[in-house]
Amino acid sequence: MPLRLSRARHREILGILITAQGRAVSTGGLVEDLWEDPPDGAVGAVRTFVGEIRKVLEPQRPPRVPSEILVTEGDGYALRPVPAAVDLWRAEQAIRAADGRSPEVSEPLLSAALDEWRGTAFEEFRRQPWAKSERARVERLRAGAVEQLAEIRLTLGRPHDVVALLEAQIEEFPWREEGWRLLALALYRSARPGEALDIIARARTTLIGSPGADPRERLTELERGILRQDPALEVQDGGSILMRTAAVQARTSQRTQLESATALLPLLAVSGAVEVAAEQRTAVIAAAEHVGDPEVAARVIGGFDVPGSWTRSDDPARSTAIVEVALRTLTALPLGASDRLRARLLATIAMESRGTANRLAEAAEAERIARRLGDAALLCFALSSRYLQSFETAGQAGTRDMLGAEIVAAAVGAELPTFEIEGRLIRMQALCALDDVAAASRQADLIDALAERFDRPLASVFTAWFRWSFMGRPPPPEGTEMPGFRDGLSGLAELTRAVRTGTELPDSRFGPYEPWARPLLLARQGRREEAAAALDAVPDPPDDLMLEVAWFLTGLAAVESGHDLAARRAYDALLPAAGERAGGSGAIDLGPIAPLLDRLRAAAFDGRS
């Protein structure tokens, strides 16, 4: 825990000793550092200060027992705590540990190092001669670590994170060319070439005349590459990462390479490179099946323990192919194979079948195995798969809220931040359906804090949509790695907002939601026959987060076009959700379901709308 020292002289002496990094500082040296014109009795004062500091550092140390932290050495003193006790030393240790390691290992080390900074080092003593050189050294250390982390995140395909990291860096250290260059490259890889060129122009203006700076070479080279859209500037995506890994391990067995690649894929997915991870996962699974060892294949298929928070598959064909391989592998596993492997396969089958097939039995079996084994990570994975299978009927928000709460509890206990985020996302969505927006907002705040702390950028996509739909905040930013949010959701959001506010319905691109959105538009346009024909053909919606929304739109169209059969279908489907809102996705909201049920009952059974 942080050490509280009330006296400035105590803090200054500790600062001087920390800059010595374990070496002894003579009493005379301390006197010179502390006073420009030392008073009479300065040596005695230093010894008194040291004695007082020792009492704070080691309050339980018996009298006349030598200090083990602030030690006497010759005619001076040295600070010898464990290295982890000093934040600056922890940061330096992490930066050294990151040197020469792979990007996947270096990234969290450098992130942890930078988390140690709280403002500027030795700010209280900035005018003291002893502090000036150390402050400059620490500033260089931090600036170099920021640039190193930016380079690594670019390598990992996370340019958006780099932009946020470096915008503050160029303000604080405008004379460092590397910060400008990396920021421009990150902007280019974020599909913002105009802003990248603007940054280069600003850098050129700033750096001209700076001591030792010559912005004409690397920045000019980058500028030319941007202007001609040089492929060499493109992001080093997940495929490149996997190829580098394979090259490093060229002399290892194919099995080891496959399992190593599998370990990287979840890291790519949770960091934001969803599509890259999905593409590589398909290739790795296919390669694993060809090895001919079902246990290797099972480890690869079940190793992608990334929570599923969006209940519509981004690529149904790809998910179907994974389920088929997983089912073949499950059948081929030998009798002696571990239950953990079986549980991971079962959970994967349930996850990848979301919205398309009822695999609740597989999810439940995976959960039973996880509970019996007492494996918290496996339990979170199994509960996540059960959540994705919890949409067989409308009105299941209470069940999902309990599932989310259990995932959170297990994840917190086992220090699994990705699953904690998922559990809180599930709760946020369920609480929206249960019409407890205040509680959902508290979950959203916790999600954002976790997303920032653990670099999970996609989690904040969900919370941004929630705040827009339920709290009237500004609309979420355009562009996301998740196809579920790119394809038709904005059009559906505009439509449902117009339904709630009673304004004219926009005719937009509804993507996969077209069959349930179109009949209402036709009915509102007075095209009742076309609306009736569309309702005749409308399918049951997928068993996913949009189940209530789709039936709500269908029911509203049925009421407004006088379609009795469709009204009965919608009534029967929505009746279990009578006490909920059609807003369980946390992104789309049509309001309470009960009033619509009254209208559907009148239209379907009483012959009036």
Side-chain angles (χ1 to χ4, degrees):
M1 60 184 297
L3 183 66
R4 305 295 180 188
L5 294 171
S6 59
R7 301 186 63 179
R9 286 302 189 199
H10 292 175
R11 295 193 295 274
E12 188 169 7
I13 288 172
L14 273 184
I16 294 167
L17 295 176
I18 286 170
T19 64
Q21 297 190 330
R23 298 185 300 276
V25 179
S26 69
T27 305
L30 286 170
V31 168
E32 289 178 7
D33 285 337
L34 291 169
W35 290 282
E36 185 177 346
D37 184 15
D40 293 339
V43 170
V46 166
R47 289 172 179 160
T48 299
F49 293 149
V50 168
E52 292 168 346
I53 294 169
R54 282 172 168 165
K55 289 179 181 178
V56 176
L57 292 176
E58 300 172 284
Q60 305 302 320
R61 181 173 56 88
R64 293 183 293 280
V65 173
S67 173
E68 296 181 356
I69 297 178
L70 206 173
V71 302
T72 301
E73 192 167 288
D75 182 29
Y77 304 96
L79 192 64
R80 301 276 171 78
V82 294
V86 180
D87 53 6
L88 176 59
W89 295 358
R90 289 196 301 268
E92 291 182 285
Q93 200 170 46
I95 291 168
R96 286 193 297 270
D99 189 35
R101 307 291 291 275
S102 70
E104 296 76 22
V105 173
S106 297
E107 197 278 339
L109 288 170
L110 290 169
S111 295
L114 291 170
D115 284 344
E116 298 290 351
W117 262 269
R118 300 290 185 274
T120 307
F122 307 111
E123 177 67 18
E124 182 181 6
F125 308 109
R126 61 188 179 280
R127 293 187 176 87
Q128 293 290 79
W130 68 264
K132 289 180 180 177
S133 60
E134 181 66 5
R135 278 165 55 82
R137 184 189 75 83
V138 173
E139 279 191 356
R140 289 194 301 272
L141 180 74
R142 177 170 171 262
V146 168
E147 290 163 5
Q148 190 179 351
L149 179 60
E151 187 84 61
I152 286 169
R153 286 181 176 172
L154 282 171
T155 300
L156 293 171
R158 294 165 56 186
H160 298 290
D161 292 348
V162 173
V163 172
L165 182 68
L166 290 178
E167 283 178 334
Q169 172 91 339
I170 63 169
E171 297 299 326
E172 191 172 356
F173 305 104
W175 61 88
R176 292 181 69 96
E177 179 188 351
E178 186 66 358
W180 292 97
R181 186 188 72 83
L182 289 169
L183 177 56
L185 182 57
L187 287 166
Y188 178 74
R189 290 183 179 177
S190 301
R192 297 158 66 182
E195 293 173 69
L197 293 171
D198 287 343
I199 283 292
I200 292 173
R202 279 181 56 195
R204 187 174 283 114
T205 302
T206 302
L207 292 170
I208 288 174
S210 297
D214 181 3
R216 291 172 297 182
E217 196 169 318
R218 296 189 77 190
L219 283 173
T220 300
E221 182 183 346
L222 176 58
E223 184 178 46
R224 288 173 181 160
I226 291 171
L227 289 169
R228 65 173 181 264
Q229 297 183 338
D230 188 346
L233 298 181
E234 293 302 324
V235 63
Q236 295 287 312
D237 63 16
S240 301
I241 295 169
L242 295 180
M243 286 189 287
R244 287 197 305 276
T245 302
V248 169
Q249 298 177 334
R251 295 184 182 179
T252 64
S253 70
Q254 186 180 9
R255 290 176 172 82
T256 303
Q257 291 182 39
L258 288 169
E259 291 177 9
S260 298
T262 300
L264 290 177
L265 291 171
L267 297 175
L268 285 174
V270 298
S271 68
V274 177
E275 292 191 51
V276 170
E279 290 169 5
Q280 292 299 316
R281 183 188 180 203
T282 303
V284 172
I285 287 174
E289 191 176 26
H290 286 131
V291 167
D293 185 334
E295 291 183 89
V296 170
R299 281 193 289 273
V300 170
I301 296 165
F304 193 72
D305 54 351
V306 175
S309 298
W310 194 246
T311 52
R312 184 182 291 262
S313 173
D314 294 338
D315 187 332
R318 181 182 288 152
S319 292
T320 298
I322 291 172
V323 169
E324 290 173 353
V325 176
L327 287 169
R328 288 196 296 270
T329 303
L330 187 64
T331 303
L333 278 178
L335 290 176
S338 77
D339 283 345
R340 187 172 279 103
L341 275 183
R342 293 182 189 278
R344 286 195 166 276
L345 279 176
L346 289 164
T348 299
I349 290 166
M351 274 194 170
E352 297 298 334
S353 300
R354 62 190 182 273
T356 59
N358 187 332
R359 296 286 187 181
L360 189 57
E362 285 84 350
E365 178 62 19
E367 181 186 345
R368 281 192 291 272
I369 293 171
R371 291 188 189 282
R372 178 166 52 79
L373 295 176
D375 185 329
L378 183 59
L379 179 61
C380 287
F381 190 42
L383 290 173
S384 180
S385 73
R386 184 178 152 199
Y387 156 71
L388 293 172
Q389 288 288 326
S390 66
F391 297 86
E392 68 274 14
T393 65
Q396 298 295 311
T399 298
R400 291 195 289 276
D401 186 39
M402 288 189 290
L403 280 173
E406 186 169 7
I407 291 172
V408 169
V412 169
E415 297 184 352
L416 300 169
T418 301
F419 278 107
E420 182 184 352
I421 290 171
E422 187 213 19
R424 296 196 184 282
L425 281 171
I426 292 171
R427 294 209 65 204
M428 182 191 79
Q429 294 165 336
L431 289 164
C432 288
L434 296 171
D435 206 8
D436 192 346
V437 175
S441 180
R442 290 193 291 273
Q443 293 298 320
D445 291 341
L446 291 167
I447 291 161
D448 284 341
L450 288 165
E452 181 177 359
R453 180 181 175 191
F454 294 103
D455 288 323
R456 302 292 190 265
L458 294 184
S460 294
V461 174
F462 290 89
T463 57
W465 275 88
F466 158 72
R467 292 192 175 96
W468 179 53
S469 292
F470 286 84
M471 303 182 72
R473 301 286 177 81
E478 294 183 5
T480 171
E481 265 286 323
M482 291 184 288
F485 280 82
R486 286 203 308 264
D487 191 9
L489 196 65
S490 294
L492 185 63
E494 292 170 4
L495 177 75
T496 53
R497 179 166 288 219
V499 170
R500 290 202 319 273
T501 57
T503 54
E504 183 178 353
L505 302 189
D507 192 346
S508 185
R509 180 176 173 275
F510 302 116
Y513 312 109
E514 174 73 22
W516 302 280
R518 185 60 52 186
L520 181 60
L521 274 169
L522 293 171
R524 290 283 174 96
Q525 292 166 358
R527 298 154 66 182
R528 291 171 63 95
E529 289 186 5
E530 292 176 67
L535 287 168
D536 285 338
V538 72
D540 287 352
D543 296 339
D544 63 17
L545 281 165
M546 294 298 178
L547 181 68
E548 288 87 355
V549 167
W551 278 121
F552 193 111
L553 292 173
T554 301
L556 197 55
V559 168
E560 296 189 10
S561 62
H563 197 297
D564 294 351
L565 180 58
R568 290 191 189 97
R569 287 178 65 201
Y571 179 84
D572 290 342
L574 288 172
L575 188 58
E580 296 183 6
R581 294 178 73 93
S585 67
I588 301 293
D589 180 37
L590 276 164
I593 292 170
L596 177 63
L597 283 171
D598 291 339
R599 297 180 66 188
L600 287 169
R601 186 184 303 109
F605 303 108
D606 300 340
R608 52 187 173 83
S609 59

